[in-house]
Amino acid sequence: MPEKCLIRTEKLCKSFSTGGVQQHVIKNLDAEIYEGDFTVIMGSSGAGKTTLLYALSGMDKASMGKVFFGDRNITGYNSDQLAIFRRKHCGFVFQQVYLMESMSVMDNVLTAGLLAGGNKRALIKRAKELFKQVGIEPGLWRKFPNQLSGGEAQRVAIVRAVINSPDVVFADEPTGALNSSASEAVLNILTGVNKNGQSILMVTHDMRSARRGNRVIYFKDGTICGELDLGPYVSGDKERHEKLRNFLKEMGW
Amino acid sequence: MLIKLIRSYFRKDLSHMVTFVLIVILSSLMLQAGLCLLFGYDSHFSRLAEEVNAPDISIYTVVHDDEEGRSIINEIQRSLDNSGDVDCYETKCGYSVHVTYKRSEDSEDSKDYLESQTDVYVFREYGEEEIDRPVIIEKIDGNYERPLIVSYNFLEDTLYGRYGLGDTLLLEINGTDYYFTITGIYEALADQESIYTDEVTIVDMKENMAYLDYEIFVKTVPGADELETFKSLRSDFDHKNIHVGMSRLSILIKDSTYMIDIISAVLCIFAVIVALVVAVVIYFRLTNSIEQNIVNLGALKALGATGSQIRIAHILEFEITAGAGFMISTLFLYALLPRLEELLRVFTYSKWDCAFNPEAFLITGGFIMGVTLCVSFISTSGIKKIDPVQALRFGLKSHSFRKNPFPVETTGGPLTGILALKSAFGNKRQNVLVITIMAVVGLMISIAIFIGFNVGYKPMNLYKLLMNSSTELDLYFAREVDPADIMNIEGVDMVWAADDITIRYNGIGVYTEITDDWSKVPGDHVVEGRVPVYDNEIAVGKTMAENNDIRIGDVIEINYYDKDLPMVVTGFIQSTYNYGDAAIITTEAAGELGYKPYTEHLQVTVKNSDPELTKEIIGKLILMYGDEIYYFDRNELVSSGDDEIIMVGKIISVALVILAAAIVLLSMTLLVKTIIIKTQRELGIKKALGFTGRQLRTELCFSMMPNIVIGLVIGSVLGIINANNLLSAILSRLGITRSNLETAPWMAVMGILGGSVVSYVIIWFLSRRIKKISAYSLINE
Ligand SMILES: Nc1ncnc2c1ncn2[C@@H]1O[C@H](COP(=O)(O)OP(=O)(O)O)[C@@H](O)[C@H]1O
Ligand SMILES: [Mg+2]
């Protein structure tokens, strides 16, 4: 079954100039991300995974080349158009969580939902359901982010990312700052979200996390140098683990 | 260690320090300018008094060149010879001449203003004066036929500033044209109106003389009291029935400096108000920087810096900056002062050297540095409490949010509005800053509107206050007329006969207005008590009453030449005549004093003070009375804009608006920058979530508006309520004790609206940096 393309790049380039020196982080990249996939981007630290994620999500502008979201060319958007595009189609989860410190847990989630144009009553209902799904007790709803543990905060962040039912959730090392049990919980939620039909694009350099994806992309030297089809995630699948390990070894990880 | 700390603080706070320094410059510039003018002119006139050997008492009289004239002068001289307080005196005789201005062929248009006007000049020979000897301060060299040496007073008042040094003046005297050249400018204190010229011209002028103008300048013996001597001479002349003009040194100086006093009062008052902004800015900056740097401060403490070391570094940072600002403002001041001095000559008729004034310097410096020290000391008290372990471990988190105002969940309205409300009420310190500053701004704007309205739009209001008049039209008739005839003209509000005399109380001259029935004269005449009704009643100036401890109900002894009369004080008036030494009585009371008022002078008020209506009425009056009427339209005088006080009022009004705008701009720059830095992280997150730059800017503007409006409301309401009190205080030198200019709620409303709009625009402009920061780069901070 030919998968439907969600994000597609054409000769995408992204470079930074620091102190007069040009650093080409993404070089002439032609890539496709498919709808409904749990796509994992891997690569060594500093390879440009975050840069790629932000370029694909319209968080940052490309230096050259094109990014298509569906059949929209988002490369030509100005920053306000990109913002409006993001609030409607994308959800974000970051390694550092990035909840708004001045707002309660509930307000963090509702703000994102209202921004995308949701109805407040419906949003509150949905937020409560989602909180229940990810295990955020009602007692935490009116707390502030700094009163939560790291795992709790990241789960709230995921709720915030999916509250407006985005086409795709972008996650940049969402488990990077969490211990293993909190990581598992967070990954379970992402897997759940994916099962609901939403696409996920996750950057990680942790094998346990990468295992969750059905497609793994290895990013190196500014381009995709290999990819692996893992098939749907099944918990405790030894073979899947081996497959991934071999792939990464091949990539020189 | 300390120096390193201070240097690092400077580097980090640079842009805030620039804002701070600008506000310090504003405040200290105004304060030092105010004090410098006050002290500078005071010592200038003391010096001038010494230089010209100014008389302690001056006596002026105009007599005919005949036996009777000479005998009056002899009488005066005899009184002076007999007074034990008089050390010496000098009698100067000038020739009073009627002149008519003519347009010379080569004159410029601007000088035609004076064409065919007539005037009286007093010519004197420049010579050997001992007392009040004119000092020539500017002159042109060369030989000129009929040279004139004149004063600034003469140039400004008599020639309306239309002529200057080197100009020729064509005057027709007794049918003959004479060309005069202004060859010099002199300064003196007692006599600033005479013209000095050479012997040849004097001979010509003697021939054309209308009468003799005498000035007798008196020096008292050392230790004699100026006022007492003045009073005793005054009563001596009164009893001999000699009518002379008299003045004394302190009044002469007051005449030259009252406007300086008013200007410096305004400058000082607003300098102190701006200093409040300085204080709030320091407080805001320091407390914020401590909060933001709590980790660094903790680290410093952990490294062994004591709390007071860190504190002193912070205090010094602001003290050094304030000192620098103060020095810059001092440089500015002395660079600007010569220009200002030139403008002020309209009021002082004197050329001041603008010398450095150490008192003004020290007081201003002390004030600014003192305020900075106190506020920075208080604002840094938090440093003592920082515990290194706590700070390093938890940093900002120990200052976490506890309340969640306006939860998104339950608050109605658009998202941007809710978020704006949240942050509007989330930060107490920021609110204090905004409310205080905007209250200052509101105060300034509303007072500017108040002054602007009463001076610029309806200048009659100020004019009437200063001239103690409620009249639009003064009519002088060649014969007695029935006021009822004029009352019948359409548009006339009220008509009454008015006259004035100078009576004496306790030896001082009291300018006294007389009319039949004060209750019929429109306007507030008394600020306390009631108007005089019976022939033994008087209402006196409030200032005069305060100076002489007169209370309502007191019986005071009034003299008018050889007539003495005890009169009951029924109330207090306010008047700028004689700086408040003024009174009102009825025609009957004047009769008791042996004076029969003229009835040929009528005063008229016009409905709504309407200038057009006034002109119509004048037209009808001319039809009715033809040659027998001479009129004076005050509306025209006021609207011609020549009045200096009105000009100053307009300048003050505009300056206040500019000052207010500068304060909004400066303080909002500081505030918006701080807010953006403080909320940088959240702004980045919000951008990532999909907030547009425009949304975030709107949110920021809206979040500041509630406090801005609250501040503006407080300031504008206070301003409008106290505008008249403030004006009374500023004008108290003139004898105004209760200003009653128009105030209206719309002035406060205008202040609030104007202030809000200007602030919104400024904040919107300043917040443009939000647009520049991308979500990605912020998150990567
Ligand atoms: N805003 C930026 N300015 C300059 N260089 C940048 C910027 N963002 C990323 N880089 C550089 O791009 C490279 C890739 O960064 P990043 O995408 O964060 O790597 P990764 O997420 O794979 O660890 C790094 O060398 C980094 O220094
Ligand atoms: Mg990264």
Side-chain angles (χ1 to χ4, degrees):
Chain A
M1 181 184 79
E3 283 175 292
K4 209 173 151 211
C5 194
L6 179 70
I7 306 173
R8 183 167 59 85
T9 67
E10 259 178 35
K11 303 218 174 335
L12 177 68
C13 293
K14 179 77 194 177
S15 45
F16 299 103
S17 58
T18 32
V21 183
Q22 280 275 330
Q23 186 192 1
H24 301 282
V25 181
I26 303 173
K27 302 169 193 160
N28 281 323
L29 178 73
D30 292 313
E32 290 184 340
I33 306 294
Y34 304 109
E35 211 175 285
D37 271 9
F38 191 138
T39 312
V40 171
I41 302 174
M42 293 198 75
S44 58
S45 179
K49 305 182 293 294
T50 301
T51 307
L52 175 63
L53 193 73
Y54 286 161
L56 294 180
S57 62
M59 187 88 88
D60 205 12
K61 283 188 174 179
S63 303
M64 263 204 291
K66 290 174 184 160
V67 177
F68 291 91
F69 198 93
D71 27 81
R72 266 187 300 261
N73 178 359
I74 64 168
T75 334
Y77 286 12
N78 66 27
S79 57
D80 278 0
Q81 287 169 320
L82 281 176
I84 292 164
F85 160 78
R86 278 201 300 276
R87 69 167 81 139
K88 290 212 178 110
H89 305 284
C90 312
F92 291 93
V93 183
F94 309 96
Q95 176 177 347
Q96 294 91 334
V97 186
Y98 290 133
L99 289 174
M100 291 170 279
E101 304 275 333
S102 66
M103 287 185 206
S104 68
V105 163
M106 183 56 111
D107 282 0
N108 260 283
V109 172
L110 291 181
T111 298
L114 287 171
L115 186 62
N119 167 285
K120 192 184 283 180
R121 196 142 352 125
L123 282 170
I124 293 173
K125 200 166 153 243
R126 183 164 155 72
K128 287 179 180 170
E129 281 167 16
L130 288 168
F131 281 143
K132 227 168 268 165
Q133 279 177 33
V134 302
I136 298 290
E137 302 296 326
L140 294 178
W141 296 351
R142 276 164 204 96
K143 291 234 154 115
F144 282 91
N146 59 20
Q147 295 167 310
L148 306 180
S149 73
E152 285 167 342
Q154 195 59 294
R155 278 180 276 158
V156 172
I158 294 174
V159 172
R160 185 180 66 180
V162 301
I163 183 80
N164 54 351
S165 312
D167 300 334
V168 53
V169 174
F170 295 90
D172 190 3
E173 303 191 26
T175 57
L178 303 179
N179 62 29
S180 60
S181 69
S183 294
E184 273 312 301
V186 163
L187 290 169
N188 285 341
I189 296 164
L190 285 176
T191 306
V193 168
N194 181 237
K195 284 215 174 97
N196 283 343
Q198 278 159 299
S199 315
I200 304 235
L201 185 56
M202 178 175 82
V203 167
T204 185
H205 53 220
D206 163 37
M207 260 186 62
R208 293 163 63 89
S209 305
R211 246 181 3 206
R212 298 289 180 137
N214 61 329
R215 179 179 178 220
V216 181
I217 290 173
Y218 198 84
F219 195 75
K220 192 176 169 183
D221 295 332
T223 192
I224 295 173
C225 65
E227 63 170 274
L228 172 70
D229 193 347
L230 274 178
Y233 171 69
V234 187
S235 142
D237 186 346
K238 282 261 163 58
E239 197 183 323
R240 184 185 182 85
H241 191 78
E242 278 308 304
K243 232 169 151 184
L244 182 58
R245 187 196 295 273
N246 291 337
F247 169 71
L248 289 176
K249 203 178 265 170
E250 202 178 307
M251 294 291 118
W253 196 59
Chain B
M1 174 86 169
L2 204 58
I3 292 167
K4 254 193 196 152
L5 263 182
I6 296 172
R7 222 188 285 147
S8 82
Y9 288 155
F10 267 121
R11 220 171 296 132
K12 200 154 53 209
D13 289 352
L14 194 62
S15 67
H16 295 123
M17 281 319 206
V18 169
T19 310
F20 172 68
V21 106
L22 288 174
I23 301 178
V24 167
I25 290 174
L26 262 182
S27 173
S28 56
L29 186 62
M30 288 197 294
L31 185 61
Q32 199 175 354
L35 295 174
C36 201
L37 291 178
L38 191 69
F39 299 149
Y41 273 103
D42 191 53
S43 61
H44 168 73
F45 279 106
S46 319
R47 202 170 339 105
L48 186 64
E50 218 151 90
E51 201 176 343
V52 302
N53 192 23
D56 296 304
I57 290 160
S58 346
I59 301 160
Y60 312 93
T61 191
V62 170
V63 296
H64 288 287
D65 188 13
D66 58 13
E67 204 48 48
E68 197 194 337
R70 271 184 291 278
S71 80
I72 292 171
I73 303 302
N74 285 337
E75 264 314 308
I76 296 171
Q77 289 175 334
R78 201 157 337 155
S79 290
L80 296 175
D81 291 336
N82 290 338
S83 165
D85 289 335
V86 173
D87 184 28
C88 61
Y89 62 89
E90 192 174 31
T91 309
K92 297 194 227 183
C93 177
Y95 305 100
S96 175
V97 177
H98 285 289
V99 303
T100 304
Y101 298 92
K102 288 190 74 175
R103 180 181 183 165
S104 66
E105 278 112 60
D106 57 345
S107 88
E108 296 153 31
D109 287 347
S110 68
K111 293 178 182 172
D112 294 345
Y113 186 76
L114 294 166
E115 199 178 346
S116 353
Q117 289 193 34
T118 61
D119 208 338
V120 176
Y121 284 5
V122 177
F123 291 89
R124 294 180 201 279
E125 192 175 341
Y126 188 73
E128 310 290 293
E129 288 83 0
E130 279 299 317
I131 306 176
D132 202 48
R133 72 176 89 86
V135 183
I136 295 178
I137 50 165
E138 275 182 66
K139 63 172 184 180
I140 48 170
D141 293 321
N143 269 330
Y144 291 88
E145 218 188 339
R146 293 183 226 294
L148 299 182
I149 302 171
V150 300
S151 64
Y152 284 119
N153 185 320
F154 186 86
L155 287 176
E156 287 299 336
D157 277 10
T158 311
L159 297 178
Y160 296 92
R162 261 118 173 140
Y163 288 84
L165 201 61
D167 286 343
T168 51
L169 197 57
L170 176 57
L171 299 174
E172 186 194 305
I173 300 168
N174 254 348
T176 317
D177 286 357
Y178 292 88
Y179 278 98
F180 295 92
T181 309
I182 300 170
T183 60
I185 299 175
Y186 75 87
E187 263 189 45
L189 263 173
D191 174 20
Q192 304 185 355
E193 265 134 50
S194 299
I195 299 169
Y196 292 91
T197 184
D198 63 358
E199 208 182 325
V200 183
T201 313
I202 284 290
V203 172
D204 278 339
M205 292 309 120
K206 239 182 207 173
E207 240 165 60
N208 294 306
M209 175 183 73
Y211 29 82
L212 290 170
D213 186 294
Y214 273 98
E215 289 171 340
I216 301 168
F217 292 149
V218 179
K219 297 290 278 187
T220 54
V221 293
D225 185 74
E226 176 197 290
L227 181 58
E228 288 310 316
T229 313
F230 177 88
K231 284 181 184 170
S232 78
L233 285 176
R234 189 39 127 186
S235 75
D236 199 16
F237 296 148
D238 282 351
H239 285 106
K240 288 176 175 167
N241 225 335
I242 302 173
H243 297 217
V244 290
M246 284 178 76
S247 190
R248 53 200 169 90
L249 185 56
S250 51
I251 295 293
L252 290 175
I253 292 179
K254 202 169 174 179
D255 284 341
S256 305
T257 55
Y258 74 89
M259 205 61 207
I260 299 295
D261 292 348
I262 290 175
I263 293 170
S264 57
V266 171
L267 284 168
C268 292
I269 289 172
F270 286 100
V272 171
I273 293 177
V274 175
L276 186 66
V277 177
V278 170
V280 185
V281 163
I282 298 174
Y283 172 74
F284 179 75
R285 225 3 254 162
L286 272 179
T287 45
N288 260 312
S289 116
I290 291 169
E291 191 175 274
Q292 280 164 22
N293 291 315
I294 197 144
V295 179
N296 291 335
L297 291 175
L300 275 173
K301 275 200 166 178
L303 288 177
T306 64
S308 56
Q309 263 177 325
I310 300 171
R311 196 168 177 185
I312 289 168
H314 272 299
I315 293 173
L316 280 179
E317 178 195 16
F318 277 88
E319 281 289 316
I320 291 168
T321 314
F326 166 62
M327 294 314 275
I328 294 169
S329 78
T330 305
L331 292 180
F332 261 134
L333 174 65
Y334 284 97
L336 289 174
L337 217 46
R339 303 281 313 127
L340 184 63
E341 189 272 337
E342 257 171 59
L343 299 176
L344 290 175
R345 280 185 215 163
V346 194
F347 307 116
T348 61
Y349 306 126
S350 184
K351 188 179 176 178
W352 171 44
D353 60 2
C354 306
F356 175 74
N357 189 298
E359 289 135 296
F361 179 82
L362 289 177
I363 295 176
T364 309
F367 175 74
I368 291 291
M369 304 300 275
V371 167
T372 307
L373 181 68
C374 291
V375 180
S376 54
F377 186 79
I378 294 166
S379 312
T380 48
S381 64
I383 292 176
K384 263 198 309 209
K385 289 184 218 130
I386 295 173
D387 173 56
V389 176
Q390 204 74 12
L392 285 174
R393 246 193 200 204
F394 302 105
L396 262 176
K397 277 201 180 145
S398 58
H399 290 246
S400 64
F401 299 89
R402 249 164 248 111
K403 263 193 285 188
N404 184 27
F406 299 95
V408 179
E409 198 183 340
T410 51
T411 311
L415 182 64
T416 307
I418 303 171
L419 296 183
L421 271 178
K422 264 172 130 42
S423 51
F425 293 95
N427 190 332
K428 220 173 271 159
R429 197 178 303 134
Q430 187 178 309
N431 296 353
V432 170
L433 177 87
V434 175
I435 291 175
T436 313
I437 288 173
M438 292 321 286
V440 168
V441 168
L443 189 83
M444 285 182 176
I445 298 180
S446 61
I447 286 178
I449 293 172
F450 164 79
I451 295 175
F453 178 79
N454 286 294
V455 173
Y457 181 66
K458 278 196 174 176
M460 260 323 244
N461 288 350
L462 181 71
Y463 184 84
K464 282 179 175 176
L465 174 74
L466 293 176
M467 296 298 137
N468 325 102
S469 138
S470 43
T471 321
E472 275 78 41
L473 203 51
D474 276 59
L475 306 175
Y476 301 86
F477 293 91
R479 60 177 166 92
E480 202 157 315
V481 296
D482 187 358
D485 293 345
I486 294 160
M487 195 61 206
N488 287 336
I489 299 175
E490 205 185 304
V492 170
D493 190 41
M494 183 55 76
V495 181
W496 67 97
D499 196 6
D500 57 80
I501 52 174
T502 299
I503 58 169
R504 312 248 181 274
Y505 163 72
N506 195 13
I508 51 174
V510 179
Y511 177 88
T512 304
E513 291 181 90
I514 306 163
T515 194
D516 290 339
D517 184 352
W518 281 103
S519 63
K520 286 213 182 109
V521 178
D524 298 333
H525 299 287
V526 286
V527 290
E528 263 178 80
R530 61 168 175 83
V531 292
V533 177
Y534 299 109
D535 63 4
N536 65 337
E537 289 184 343
I538 188 168
V540 299
K542 173 115 191 190
T543 318
M544 167 182 160
E546 276 165 6
N547 293 341
N548 294 283
D549 201 19
I550 300 171
R551 274 175 298 261
I552 293 175
D554 284 0
V555 175
I556 59 173
E557 189 74 22
I558 295 297
N559 330 103
Y560 184 65
Y561 293 101
D562 45 3
K563 195 91 175 177
D564 300 332
L565 187 69
M567 297 186 92
V568 182
V569 177
T570 60
F572 297 143
I573 63 166
Q574 63 175 344
S575 176
T576 52
Y577 286 111
N578 288 347
Y579 301 108
D581 291 343
I584 57 173
I585 56 174
T586 62
T587 307
E588 280 177 13
E592 286 298 306
L593 284 168
Y595 178 78
K596 188 184 175 306
Y598 288 112
T599 47
E600 290 87 348
H601 175 201
L602 296 184
Q603 296 201 325
V604 178
T605 50
V606 176
K607 289 188 174 126
N608 299 324
S609 304
D610 187 343
E612 293 307 312
L613 199 53
T614 312
K615 287 216 179 69
E616 272 174 40
I617 293 168
I618 292 169
K620 286 178 189 159
L621 283 166
I622 290 171
L623 284 179
M624 284 163 72
Y625 298 99
D627 288 349
E628 290 176 323
I629 184 170
Y630 172 77
Y631 66 86
F632 179 59
D633 179 355
R634 288 181 196 255
N635 266 318
E636 201 164 305
L637 172 90
V638 168
S639 62
S640 74
D642 270 336
D643 199 283
E644 285 121 8
I645 291 199
I646 287 179
M647 186 186 81
V648 168
K650 283 182 185 170
I651 293 174
I652 289 175
S653 169
V654 172
L656 278 180
V657 172
I658 295 173
L659 189 63
I663 289 176
V664 175
L665 186 64
L666 290 177
S667 50
M668 290 305 144
T669 308
L670 172 85
L671 192 64
V672 170
K673 267 186 194 161
T674 309
I675 291 176
I676 292 178
I677 290 171
K678 260 172 90 169
T679 56
Q680 183 149 287
R681 221 172 110 100
E682 281 207 18
L683 285 171
I685 298 170
K686 282 180 178 167
K687 278 213 157 181
L689 291 181
F691 279 88
T692 61
R694 170 181 283 272
Q695 271 179 318
L696 294 175
R697 287 172 80 185
T698 311
E699 184 189 319
L700 177 67
C701 288
F702 279 7
S703 76
M704 299 188 64
M705 288 324 278
N707 291 314
I708 284 175
V709 173
I710 291 170
L712 284 172
V713 168
I714 294 173
S716 300
V717 169
L718 280 179
I720 290 305
I721 289 175
N722 291 303
N724 272 313
N725 296 338
L726 187 72
L727 198 64
S728 306
I730 290 170
L731 296 177
S732 62
R733 270 289 256 188
L734 292 181
I736 299 291
T737 51
R738 199 184 71 187
S739 154
N740 52 1
L741 297 189
E742 251 179 280
T743 57
W746 66 259
M747 294 178 181
V749 173
M750 283 251 303
I752 296 163
L753 284 181
S756 307
V757 170
V758 169
S759 309
Y760 192 94
V761 170
I762 287 177
I763 297 170
W764 178 261
F765 173 76
L766 290 171
S767 67
R768 70 197 183 284
R769 44 166 54 210
I770 289 181
K771 219 167 68 179
K772 299 240 162 65
I773 35 188
S774 83
Y776 177 41
S777 61
L778 261 175
I779 282 179
N780 272 282
E781 275 279 326

